[in-house]
Structures are given as structure tokens and as C-alpha cells.
Amino acid sequence: EFGKSFSMEFAYISYGVSEKLREVNSELYQRELDKTKAKFADAEQEAKRLLREQLRDLVAGMVDKLTGVKEDGKRKTFKPSSVGKLNEFFESFKSWNLAADDSELDSIVSQAKELLSGVDPESMKGESALRDSVGNGFAQILPMLDTMIETMPDRVFRGDASDEDEE
């Protein structure tokens, strides 16, 4: 009965330009090939941007929870699950970065992992010195991530209207 509750579908999808187009019209083939390459380059940049922004949000959350102060002057509450979210990102990053191939972000991820290496998240709740040390470490990483995001090229939207005029 369990097997009847689930199904799986799959399809083979080909991305790119058909080689047959080259035989028909080599100029049109080259133009379509260039557009396809540009779309993949855009997708790679967008993947980099999303990974950088996701890590930035996680690091900003850590900085806030570890170094932030509430309106009443008391420290903000730190939840060990925040470390769990970062560790989940670190584990997933390995496979996500295969497509994005972001060596800059890989370096930042290594620094962030090093900050948490050997640290028990539960102990950060009570040990102020450890909490401050880790929080300050993430506070140093945060501006690097901001700069990495700000210096990325803007996303390019390509339309096909100009292509129709050329044909």
C-alpha cells in the first residue's frame, strides 16, 4: 500500500542548439548557440548570487543572535538551531557549488566552518566569552559577504524581440 501512495516521473531533456540547425543555417545556429551560452552564464551568476545571499542571511542572523542586545539591554536569545542551519548550508554547499563554482564563497564558507569547528552550540548559550568570540568572527565575515554580493554583475534579461526583426 505504501508504494501506491507515491509515483515517480522522469524525462530526458536536451538543452542547447540542434546540430541539424547548423546544416540548415550556420549563422542562425551560431546566434542560437551564443544565446544558449549566455543563458547558462546568467544561470550560473544567479546561482552564485543566491548562494551568497543565503549565506549572508545566515551569518547576519548569527551576528544578531550572538552579539545583539534587546531594547531592555539584555542579550538576545541564542538558539543552538541557528548553528544547525549553518551546518545544513555547509553540507549542501558542496553540491550546490559544483554548478556555481564560486571559489570566493568557498573560501568564506571555510572561514565560517572554522569558527564553529569544535564548538558546542549549547555551550554558546552560557559562555559569554565563546559567544562573543564566535559572534565577532561572524561579524568580520559579514562585510566580506556584503561586498561579494554588491560587486556581482547585475542580472541581464534578454528578450527575443530583436531576434524576430533580424529574421
Side-chain angles (χ1 to χ4, degrees), residues 20-165:
K20 291 183 181 185
L21 183 58
R22 182 186 294 199
E23 297 168 13
V24 175
N25 185 331
S26 63
E27 288 179 28
L28 180 58
Y29 170 83
Q30 188 59 50
R31 188 170 63 226
E32 292 302 311
L33 183 62
D34 291 344
K35 284 186 348 186
T36 300
K37 287 179 181 177
K39 286 179 183 178
F40 277 101
D42 287 349
E44 181 180 335
Q45 285 299 314
E46 189 62 18
K48 282 183 179 182
R49 179 183 306 281
L50 290 173
L51 286 172
R52 289 175 177 194
E53 288 175 350
Q54 186 176 9
L55 182 58
R56 189 232 174 264
D57 291 346
L58 290 169
V59 168
M62 287 293 286
V63 170
D64 183 52
K65 295 295 182 190
L66 292 172
T67 64
V69 178
K70 294 189 254 180
E71 290 178 17
D72 63 3
K74 294 181 182 177
R75 292 186 93 156
K76 290 195 172 183
T77 305
F78 171 76
K79 295 180 183 169
S81 62
S82 301
V83 173
K85 290 176 187 177
L86 264 170
N87 284 328
E88 286 175 21
F89 178 88
F90 298 153
E91 286 303 311
S92 300
F93 177 75
K94 294 173 191 173
S95 58
W96 293 337
N97 198 38
L98 291 176
D101 192 28
D102 192 341
S103 58
E104 283 183 280
L105 188 58
D106 190 37
S107 174
I108 299 291
V109 166
S110 294
Q111 290 178 38
K113 284 172 81 170
E114 183 64 31
L115 283 172
L116 295 175
S117 178
V119 174
D120 175 26
E122 285 292 332
S123 64
M124 281 198 286
K125 287 172 66 175
E127 294 181 34
S128 292
L130 176 61
R131 185 173 169 156
D132 290 341
S133 173
V134 173
N136 290 332
F138 280 113
Q140 291 177 1
I141 289 175
L142 191 56
M144 291 186 265
L145 286 164
D146 287 335
T147 301
M148 287 171 57
I149 292 167
E150 290 169 6
T151 59
M152 287 193 73
D154 288 334
R155 187 167 180 202
V156 178
F157 291 95
R158 292 178 173 79
D160 292 332
S162 62
D163 294 337
E164 293 172 8
D165 295 341

